[in-house]
Amino acid sequence: MGRVALVTGGSRGIGEAISKALKAEGYEVAATYAGNDEKAAAFTKETGIKTYKWNVADYEASAAGIAKVEADLGPIEVVVANAGITRDAPFHRMTPEQWKEVIETHLNTLHPVWPGMRERKFGRVIVISSINGQKGQFAQVNYAATKAGDLGIVKSLAQEGARAGITANAVCPGYIATEMVMAVPEKVRESIIAQIPAGRLGEPEEIARCVVFLASDDAGFINGSTISANGAQFFV
Ligand code: NDP
């Protein structure tokens, strides 16, 4: 049996590509989702990957969900914090609900898996941040705050986990062709692509390959790092 990998938001979009890529590498994958039962069922039917439904913004639900995954599959050795949402508005029009929903969804996943990784002296934490956490973005103060927060999280966890055989790294995707990006009006999407020197959106599989590498034994000395995959749109 391969290592157990948990991918939050793993049933569609970038997460779906990550779940499939990890499975192809021999991992025992559990994919979580929030509410899209139909897509999750189709994903399981296609891939054979088990899905689990909980709201990552709810700490107790996350802890209970993680316990269930571990009871079903064994200890989680790789966690990919990928689930994410946008609730965009210029700051002066952003509602407290838009602020709270994004902050809570993005910064709440990792704590319950950490003690087990420390005890077993092995872990791979991979957080899917964003180019907009690196450079900021108009109408995304909430989103950029959490995605920049992800980078602080992995740098801190890297220092805490290094002696216990745990690495924590982030991937910052640029604009990727998922429902999240395809949902923006076509004109806006065209103006986004015009800002990408590669002249195209990224593919979810291009992010998945970064995750597979960071999860591997070969990446054991890479800790607290950020991989940017953005078609040359932004350099840190
Ligand atoms: P999608 O909207 O395509 O998929 C989001 C996934 O997250 C779904 O599986 C969804 O579940 C799940 N999810 C959302 N909210 C919750 C929640 N509260 N609890 C549990 N699961 C939840 O997103 P993308 O694939 O585009 O994005 C994935 C990650 O990559 C996000 O963190 C995003 O911020 C980041 N990112 C994306 C970029 C892009 O261009 N697409 C660029 C940079 C970063 P359900 O199916 O049930 O709704």
Side-chain angles (χ1 to χ4, degrees):
M1 290 284 259
R3 287 181 172 141
V4 175
L6 174 71
V7 184
T8 69
S11 62
R12 67 185 172 89
I14 293 172
E16 176 176 4
I18 294 170
S19 297
K20 288 178 177 172
L22 288 170
K23 185 176 181 203
E25 288 293 316
Y27 291 86
E28 197 70 33
V29 180
T32 82
Y33 70 104
N36 191 335
D37 297 317
E38 206 179 317
K39 173 62 194 166
F43 166 82
T44 298
K45 195 169 171 209
E46 181 200 334
T47 62
I49 295 172
K50 250 175 120 81
T51 53
Y52 296 81
K53 181 177 175 178
W54 75 75
N55 178 5
V56 294
D58 178 337
Y59 184 90
E60 275 71 35
S62 288
I66 284 163
K68 170 90 175 90
V69 170
E70 295 200 323
D72 289 352
L73 302 180
I76 293 166
E77 293 177 289
V78 177
V79 62
V80 186
N82 164 80
I85 56 169
T86 51
R87 296 290 182 266
D88 297 352
F91 198 42
H92 63 281
R93 280 200 256 121
M94 188 171 284
T95 64
E97 289 71 30
Q98 287 174 313
W99 175 262
K100 198 166 172 276
E101 215 182 326
V102 170
I103 301 285
E104 290 181 355
T105 300
H106 291 170
L107 294 180
N108 209 12
T109 313
L110 306 170
H111 198 238
V113 297
W114 190 252
M117 288 182 171
R118 277 171 48 84
E119 274 164 30
R120 293 186 299 273
K121 299 259 177 279
F122 180 85
R124 292 283 188 268
V125 172
I126 300 152
V127 178
I128 307 303
S129 175
S130 168
I131 186 175
N132 291 345
Q134 297 173 301
K135 71 173 188 55
Q137 179 60 34
F138 186 92
Q140 286 199 327
V141 173
N142 51 359
Y143 184 86
T146 60
K147 294 298 182 177
D150 286 339
L151 305 184
I153 286 174
V154 298
K155 287 172 190 167
S156 304
L157 288 181
Q159 293 175 54
E160 292 194 22
R163 285 277 167 94
I166 306 171
T167 67
N169 293 287
V171 179
C172 282
Y175 286 85
I176 308 298
T178 68
E179 282 170 42
M180 187 183 269
V181 167
M182 298 318 266
V184 306
E186 200 177 337
K187 274 223 157 110
V188 177
R189 202 162 56 246
E190 278 167 11
S191 74
I192 289 171
I193 293 171
Q195 293 165 34
I196 305 172
R200 64 171 177 90
L201 297 171
E203 295 299 328
E205 292 72 20
E206 293 179 300
I207 304 307
R209 286 194 285 275
C210 299
V211 172
V212 166
F213 172 62
L214 289 172
S216 71
D217 286 340
D218 288 342
F221 203 54
I222 299 174
N223 206 352
S225 295
T226 300
I227 297 182
S228 298
N230 62 33
Q233 190 180 354
F234 184 74
F235 305 111
V236 179

